Amino acid sequence: MTGEFELEAAAPWGRNRAEYTTFFDLAGLPARRRILDCAAGPSSFTAEASRLGHLVVAADPLYGLPKEEIKVRIEESREAIAAGLRSAGHRFVWDAYGTPENLEATRLSAMKHFLEDYEEGLAEGRYLEAALPGLPFEDAAFDLALSSHFLFLYSAQFDLDFHLASVLELCRVAPEVRIFPLLDLDGERSRHLLPVIDHLQGRGLATEIRKVDYEFQKGGNEMLLIRCEAPS
Ligand SMILES: C[S@@+](CC[C@H](N)C(=O)[O-])C[C@H]1O[C@@H](n2cnc3c(N)ncnc32)[C@H](O)[C@@H]1O
C-alpha cells in the first residue's frame, strides 16, 4: 500500500538513546567509543550518550539552522506525522508505545532534550552541519557510524546511487556502520537494500542483516551491519 505516509524528504523528528540502543543493538557498547550519528536530526542520542562518556558527533544538514528555526521545523513534522499515523496507524506495532499520543510524547521529550543540548553541543562541535554523501571527517575518524531513519527509509526520495555513495562514505569514516530501519516509508523492504549489499560484498566487505528487539513499522525489526575493512 502506498501514499498513506507522505513526508517531506527526511523531515526532522527525533528518537531517544533507549530507542537507538535497541535499533542498533548497542547494549554493552564499551565506554568512550567514538560514534558518528549521521542524519541525527533532533534525536537526543548525542545529548544522552555524551553524558554517559561516549564521544558522539551528530551530523545533519539541519544544524545549519538556529534553535528557534529547528523548533518550527519540528512543529511542521509533528503535524505531518500525526496525519500519517491517523491514515496508516494499522501499519505499525503499538505494543511498546500504546497510543499515538504516547508515541508523540516520547518523541517530543527526546526532541526537548536535544534542543536543550543543541547550542552547547554546537559550541563544543558535537553537532555539525553536514550532509551525505560528503562528510567533513578524516578517514576512520570514528569507531562506529550509525544512521537511523534516513538511509533506506527514504528510498523513494533518494536513489540507489545516493545510497551507495552514502554507505561508502560512512565506511570511509568508520570501520563499522549500522543502519536502521531497512524498510521504506511504505513499510516495504527498501528497493536499494539488496543492490547495496551486493555492491559492498563485491568490494569484499562483510554485511549482516541482524534482527533487533524493536519493531514499530510492521516487519521493521532488522538492522544492517557493515564491517568496512576488506580483507587484504
Ligand atoms: C527522520 S529524521 C531522523 C533523525 C534521527 N536519526 C532519528 O532517528 O531520530 C531524518 C533526518 O535526515 C536528515 N537528512 C536529510 N538529508 C540528509 C543528508 N543528505 N545527509 C544527512 N542527513 C540528512 C534530516 O535533516 C533529518 O534530520
Side-chain angles (χ1 to χ4, degrees), residues 180-192:
F180 179 90
L182 306 184
L183 304 186
D184 64 21
L185 277 180
D186 291 325
E188 305 291 334
R189 191 178 248 201
S190 163
R191 68 196 77 169
H192 304 316

Side-chain angles (χ1 to χ4, degrees), residues 66-134:
K67 180 173 167 176
E68 290 310 312
E69 263 183 66
I70 294 182
K71 275 191 193 167
V72 172
R73 299 283 312 278
I74 288 173
E75 195 51 42
E76 288 165 2
S77 297
R78 177 182 180 170
E79 287 160 20
I81 285 166
L85 287 175
R86 274 195 298 278
S87 61
H90 59 282
R91 294 217 322 257
F92 297 91
V93 178
W94 289 99
D95 300 356
Y97 300 106
T99 62
E101 291 72 27
N102 283 344
L103 170 66
E104 186 179 271
T106 305
R107 297 278 185 267
L108 291 175
S109 160
M111 291 186 281
K112 181 168 179 282
H113 198 155
F114 158 79
L115 286 167
E116 286 164 359
D117 184 52
Y118 180 59
E119 284 167 335
E120 191 181 324
L122 270 183
E124 292 175 1
R126 288 188 287 109
Y127 296 104
L128 210 74
E129 179 186 3
L132 287 168

